[in-house]
Each structure stands twice: as C-alpha cells, then as structure tokens.
Amino acid sequence: QDITAFKKHGLNKVDRVIKRRYEELIKEAETLQNSMIVNQQVYESQYKFEPKIGEIYHLYENSDGSKTLSLIGPTEWSKSFLYSVILNSDMTWSKI
C-alpha cells in the first residue's frame, strides 16, 4: 500500500501548525520585550511621588535624554511627551 500521499499531507499539516505556533510565540516574545522596555523606562524615570495602582501617568523625555513620570497630561505641559501608562496591581506598567 502506497502511503506517500498520507505522509505528504500529514507533513504539510504539521508544518502549518508548527509555523503558526512559532509565529504566535514570536509575537508573544515581542510583546514581553516591549512590556519590559516600558517598565524599565518608567521605573528608571524621575518622579517624587508614590504612584497609585489604577492611576494614569504620563512619561516625558527631558532635554538631557532622561525621563520624567508625571500626573500632568500632555496637553497641559510643553515637555516632550512619550506615552501614557497605568500602574497594574502586580506593579507592572501598561502603556495606554
């Protein structure tokens, strides 16, 4: 009995499944990396208050390249606005 067609079909299907999962993992890794960058930037920024969970904050870049976290919104301040973040209950920051 010739099972060449069966093997070819099976291999093609497995190949598609594995490639799809690989692409999902790559996207997941990119998301984690982006999250790590955001958290590092926020935690390394300058601020003189203790952020509260669930509050929205804004990250700005200073003229010297350092970063400042602030409650002041981008329309209220002339500093170079990067993005807004929210502090999660697990102490991670999410870009919004």
Side-chain angles (χ1 to χ4, degrees), residues 45-74:
S45 69
Q46 301 169 4
Y47 52 94
K48 296 182 181 185
F49 57 90
E50 186 173 329
K52 298 199 183 314
I53 293 169
E55 295 291 321
I56 296 173
Y57 300 92
H58 312 282
L59 193 66
Y60 297 91
E61 186 167 26
N62 303 315
S63 57
D64 64 359
S66 65
K67 293 173 179 48
T68 299
L69 186 68
S70 178
L71 290 163
I72 300 171

Side-chain angles (χ1 to χ4, degrees), residues 2 20-21 24 28-29 31 35 41 51 58 74-75 88 94:
D2 186 11
R20 183 174 53 238
R21 182 64 182 135
E24 290 170 358
E28 216 174 302
T31 300
S35 178
Q41 286 182 339
H58 312 282
T75 59
N88 302 305
S94 293

Side-chain angles (χ1 to χ4, degrees), residues 51-57 85-89 91-93 96:
K52 298 199 183 314
I53 293 169
E55 295 291 321
I56 296 173
Y57 300 92
V85 291
I86 189 167
L87 181 59
N88 302 305
S89 61
M91 301 307 288
T92 59
W93 292 93
I96 52 172

